[in-house]
Amino acid sequence: MAEKKQFCEPVQLIAFVLQRGPEWDAALLEKLEETWGAIRHKGKLFAFDKTDYYEPEMGAGLYRGVLSFEKCIPAETIALEKARSNEFELAFADAGPEHRCVNVDIGYMDLDKVVLPSYKRGPFKLYAGEGVWLDMLLTYAKGEFHPTAWAFDDFKRNPYQHDLQLIRERWRKSVRSK
């Protein structure tokens, strides 16, 4: 039997993490590493204050930042990582699934874009199987990440720009050295 050829290079596993408080929660970081392996880059946390969507469930004083992991994955396995992120959130919940204290939007970055999987369909999302839809939220061109027209407000403002550029550059160098 012929060896299965991989369609593309592995992609950088990233997570946009929404949590309470302006400093990274040490217990949360430890659990993230237990789940996905060593953290390669820990970005700055930014106030998540342009919407109160998560407040009924998670409370006030929410912050979001981006992390990358040493782990790279084949892009076609992102649905498995999405399932793991949902399990992670439930395991870390205060008092059940309706009271999450963390929201982990797992996703990937390649040289051209940032993609987040979702269990919710949408007009600009592509079906990836396993009940997962892919949402390309940022594209990379001319040295910057640019939000798509349908991106969430915080991605449109993109306070994560600097961290994403650092993640991309470090990942690009690691891919080229292999």
Side-chain angles (χ1 to χ4, degrees), residues 17 19-20 26 35 37 40 44 48 69 71 80 96 102 126 135-136 140 145 170 173:
V17 179
Q19 64 156 49
R20 293 183 204 125
T35 305
R40 177 181 281 173
K44 182 178 177 193
F48 192 80
F69 299 92
K71 179 179 182 176
L80 299 171
V102 64
L126 301 175
D135 197 354
M136 181 178 60
Y140 186 83
F145 286 92
R170 192 164 180 198
K173 285 179 180 176

Side-chain angles (χ1 to χ4, degrees), residues 19-25 43-48 60-65:
Q19 64 156 49
R20 293 183 204 125
E23 301 295 327
W24 284 103
D25 179 311
K44 182 178 177 193
L45 287 168
F46 296 93
F48 192 80
L62 299 176
Y63 287 76
R64 178 145 62 175

Side-chain angles (χ1 to χ4, degrees), residues 1-6:
M1 180 171 7
E3 183 179 326
K4 184 178 176 184
K5 185 171 180 152
Q6 190 171 352

